[in-house]
Amino acid sequence: MENQMIFAWAIIFCLAVAPVHGQYYSRTVKAGPRVEKITRLHFFFHDIRSGENATAIPIASPNNTQDTPTYGTLYAMDDPLTMESELTSTLIGNSQGLYLDLSRERTQFTAIFYADFAFTTGRFNGSSFSLFSRFSAADASSTIREMAIVGGRGAFRMATGFALLRPTWSNTIGDAIVEFNVTLYHY
C-alpha cells in the first residue's frame, strides 16, 4: 500500500512539473489595422413567466420562507425577439440566458441578467451578441434602462456596446414586453 502511495505521488509530481519545464510553440503576429463597424438594432423582447408556454422559468430558489417569494430566484429564459411589440409579429430570433432576481422589495424588480441574443433570420442570421449587466426598475426616473454588451459572434464578433431598454408592457405576474435599441461596436 505504501509503495502504491509513493508511486501515485511521484506521478502527480511529474505531471505537475512537466508543464512548467516543458516547451510550447508560440508566435506573436502583429495584427493589421481593423475597421470598426457600428450596428444599430431595434427589436422587442417578450419575457413570459405565466401560462403553458412560459419562456422564462424558475430553475432555483432559496429554501426559506420570506415576504418576497422571488428574491434570490434564478430563472432560465428562451425569449422570442420580434420586429414589433406584438408577440405574433415577425420573429427574428431569441434570447437565451439566465437572470437572478435580486430585489427584496416586491414592487421593484432588480436582476443580474446574462443573455445571448441570437438572430435566426435576415442579414444577421447566425449572429449573436451577449449582454451581461444589472437591470433595475428603480435606477432612474426615466423609463429607459441601459445595459452592457460584452461580446458577440458571427457578424458581431468581438462586440461591445450598450442596449437601451424601454419596458412597453408588464403585469404583476412578471410577464413583460421590452423594446430594445442596441448599439454595437464590432469588427
Side-chain angles (χ1 to χ4, degrees):
M1 178 75 167
E2 186 176 317
N3 288 340
Q4 289 176 338
M5 287 300 291
I6 292 172
F7 179 72
W9 281 109
I11 293 294
I12 290 170
F13 177 76
C14 289
L15 291 174
V17 171
V20 174
H21 295 290
Q23 293 184 355
Y24 60 91
Y25 176 76
S26 174
R27 184 174 64 146
T28 302
V29 178
K30 186 175 181 178
R34 294 186 285 181
V35 178
E36 186 176 63
K37 302 174 199 166
I38 299 175
T39 300
R40 290 187 172 86
L41 303 169
H42 178 259
F43 54 85
F44 291 84
F45 167 92
H46 302 265
D47 192 48
I48 304 164
R49 290 197 212 173
S50 64
E52 290 182 18
N53 295 321
T55 62
I57 59 168
I59 57 173
S61 59
N63 189 15
N64 61 4
T65 58
Q66 53 190 334
D67 292 337
T68 51
T70 62
Y71 172 64
T73 301
L74 180 66
Y75 291 86
M77 64 178 193
D78 186 1
D79 293 332
L81 306 176
T82 61
M83 293 290 289
E84 302 296 331
S85 62
E86 294 79 26
L87 186 56
T88 56
S89 69
T90 305
L91 183 68
I92 60 169
N94 63 326
S95 173
Q96 295 177 325
L98 302 169
Y99 59 91
L100 178 62
D101 191 338
L102 300 173
S103 180
R104 290 183 183 182
E105 188 64 41
R106 191 175 265 193
T107 59
Q108 296 179 350
F109 177 74
T110 302
I112 294 294
F113 194 85
Y114 167 75
D116 185 72
F117 288 74
F119 296 91
T120 56
T121 62
R123 177 176 166 201
F124 300 116
N125 185 15
S127 298
S128 70
F129 66 86
S130 296
L131 186 144
F132 185 70
S133 201
R134 177 181 181 269
F135 176 88
S136 177
D139 271 350
S141 58
S142 153
T143 60
I144 296 176
R145 311 290 183 262
E146 182 175 332
M147 297 181 81
I149 307 297
V150 297
R153 63 180 178 84
F156 306 132
R157 184 173 291 126
M158 295 180 65
T160 59
F162 58 93
L164 299 176
L165 287 65
R166 185 177 67 86
T168 59
W169 178 84
S170 64
N171 63 20
T172 57
I173 299 169
D175 300 343
I177 299 172
V178 181
E179 180 180 16
F180 272 71
N181 285 295
V182 178
T183 301
L184 296 170
Y185 302 93
H186 58 97
Y187 297 98

